[in-house]
Amino acid sequence: MLKRGVSKTAVVFLVLMVFFFASHVNLSLLSRSNVSVASSISKTRPGIVNKSREDRPARSPPHSLSEIKRAITCDCSHKDYDLWFINGPTLLDPITLTFFTTGPSNSIPPDFAVKFHPYPRKTDERAKSKVNELTLTSAPPKSSCEITHSSPAIVFSTGGYTGNFYHQFNDVLLALYITINSLSLNRDVILTVTNWSDWWVQKYADLLHHFTMHPILNMDNQTRTHCFPSAIIGLMTHGPLVVDPTLTQHKSLLAFHALLEKTYIPRGKHVSTFDKSKGARPQLVLVNRKNGVGREILNLKEALKAIEEVGFKAIVFEPKRNGAVGDTYRLLHGSHAMLAVHGAAMTHLLFLRVGTVLGEIVPIGTDWLANTFYEKPAKVLGLEYMKYKIGVNESSLAEKYGADDLVLNNPPSFVNGNWTKAKVYMKTQNVKLDMVRFRKYLKEVFAKAKRFMDKEG
């Protein structure tokens, strides 16, 4: 019985409002930044979303995510990535970059479509602008299967920031490792790549072989349709050079590190590039930035002289995009110390043996980045991380702004969340090492590297 003062009409109105609200909440995951949803597909061009709402027939309220989960689902709950699944047969039309569901789909709206950038930086518009947008749809394809695969597809992009060595690993290779192990896919998947780069595939061919037993599919040069039993679109990431073993069937960054060794060291044997004769010196590889975009060591010759004088054999390594990964891996893996100014080249820490000394020269304004991106993973890998934080007078910014300027004395206040201002530290700052301070630091690095050499060779 209704309480006095509350009419049946009011109760019905409240029930309808609750139902309307719930139906919209169910689709909230589809409105995230890396995804756009369309409710109709062009009748003349399959896979292209028709943005016009004119002449659209009347239809029932939007379908909930639970209604379409049999064929197309999304794990859209993460801040850095979305992961879409086609849980049944799918046809890829490479011309329109569209995946069509082709299995039973009684519970799917016939005009459901979603557009998606398959790159694990879903809120980064700059990165997404360099990634092809794919369409996933329940609309019927206009073509039949021309090439049929018996293994599922895992679809990702080598666009975005993958010209940068750090992003080659964190956004693609490590993300691929995490995704495959999290979903227990083993090697029975078809790596299906958009924004294909010949240099990238050739450079990492040996490593990619450990992710799949099948040829890698270049979406960008295909003209025929491909059919798969299912598809995963996108990659997972856990953070900067992070692998959470609780989410990856107990795989860790150390396991990825071991996979690199298995890939680039023949039969698992240690390969050394230093002289093992009596009186041999520890080998230090200085990874030099020489690209004209900041964070260069201005007194490099003096620094190398000091490195040699404290007892190291010094090797200067300047990374190249097309450089052979195996050669670089064996150089660093056989060394006892690596030293670099903060930047993407620090990602080479993945190539070092457990116990190797890793030195990072940290310019003004890059403390948090150095700690988050390199110090933390270095410690996970059992490296001897040693930071050299430059002083104000070692920064080229002191000449431009003055030693007492906010830029140098309080970088967080200067940046205040504005990435454009942070570029001052990343793009325009160079380093002139104080040789007295630097020599003291080098002596500590040498002592640890010498102990490592004596123990491990």
Side-chain angles (χ1 to χ4, degrees), residues 317-392:
F317 168 61
E318 295 178 351
K320 295 180 175 57
R321 191 181 75 169
N322 296 324
V325 180
D327 292 343
T328 302
Y329 184 92
R330 288 183 283 274
L331 169 65
L332 291 167
H333 199 75
S335 298
H336 308 99
M338 182 185 112
L339 178 65
V341 178
H342 171 78
M346 283 289 296
T347 309
H348 286 96
L349 64 87
L350 293 170
F351 295 1
L352 302 175
R353 285 179 286 165
V354 173
T356 302
V357 181
L358 175 65
E360 181 173 17
I361 298 171
V362 181
I364 300 294
T366 64
D367 299 70
W368 181 86
L369 294 170
N371 173 260
T372 302
F373 285 77
Y374 303 117
E375 182 177 358
K376 288 182 178 179
K379 291 180 177 179
V380 170
L381 293 178
L383 304 177
E384 283 281 358
Y385 179 87
M386 298 185 68
K387 180 185 299 184
Y388 180 86
K389 179 174 168 54
I390 73 167
V392 168

Side-chain angles (χ1 to χ4, degrees), residues 52-247:
S52 173
R53 294 183 176 269
E54 297 179 5
D55 303 321
R56 183 174 296 176
R59 52 180 305 202
S60 58
H63 295 260
S64 71
L65 191 60
S66 62
E67 290 180 275
I68 62 174
K69 69 181 180 180
R70 290 185 187 175
I72 302 176
T73 56
C74 180
D75 179 358
C76 295
S77 61
H78 305 275
K79 66 182 181 66
D80 293 321
Y81 70 89
D82 291 336
L83 198 67
W84 283 88
F85 301 86
I86 298 181
N87 303 306
T90 181
L91 180 146
L92 164 63
D93 179 351
I95 305 302
T96 60
L97 298 178
T98 301
F99 285 86
F100 297 87
T101 59
T102 58
S105 55
N106 295 332
S107 63
I108 307 175
D111 56 357
F112 173 81
V114 60
K115 286 182 170 290
F116 176 60
H117 297 87
Y119 191 76
R121 289 181 174 268
K122 73 180 187 182
T123 61
D124 190 329
E125 296 300 327
R126 182 166 171 262
K128 287 162 56 179
S129 71
K130 302 176 183 180
V131 175
N132 289 335
E133 187 177 60
L134 309 182
T135 300
L136 284 60
T137 179
S138 60
K142 294 294 181 69
S143 304
S144 59
C145 292
E146 295 177 277
I147 300 174
T148 301
H149 303 273
S150 59
S151 300
I154 182 166
V155 186
F156 60 94
S157 170
T158 54
Y161 296 141
T162 52
N164 175 288
F165 189 68
Y166 168 80
H167 294 287
Q168 288 166 29
F169 274 88
N170 199 68
D171 297 357
V172 183
L173 296 170
L174 193 59
L176 186 58
Y177 177 80
I178 289 170
T179 306
I180 287 175
N181 284 287
S182 296
L183 302 176
S184 301
L185 298 174
N186 298 318
R187 296 175 60 238
D188 191 19
V189 289
I190 309 291
L191 303 186
T192 306
V193 182
T194 189
N195 303 107
W196 178 279
S197 297
D198 285 335
W199 68 266
W200 185 88
V201 176
Q202 292 169 7
K203 181 172 184 174
Y204 295 111
D206 292 337
L207 180 58
L208 292 170
H209 171 71
H210 290 283
F211 296 140
T212 180
M213 63 180 71
H214 306 286
I216 301 172
L217 179 63
N218 176 3
M219 282 179 59
D220 300 343
N221 71 355
Q222 300 297 307
T223 57
R224 295 189 291 172
T225 59
H226 289 253
C227 284
F228 306 91
S230 61
I232 299 145
I233 301 93
L235 295 175
M236 307 166 74
T237 183
H238 292 164
L241 299 183
V242 173
V243 180
D244 184 344
T246 66
L247 303 175

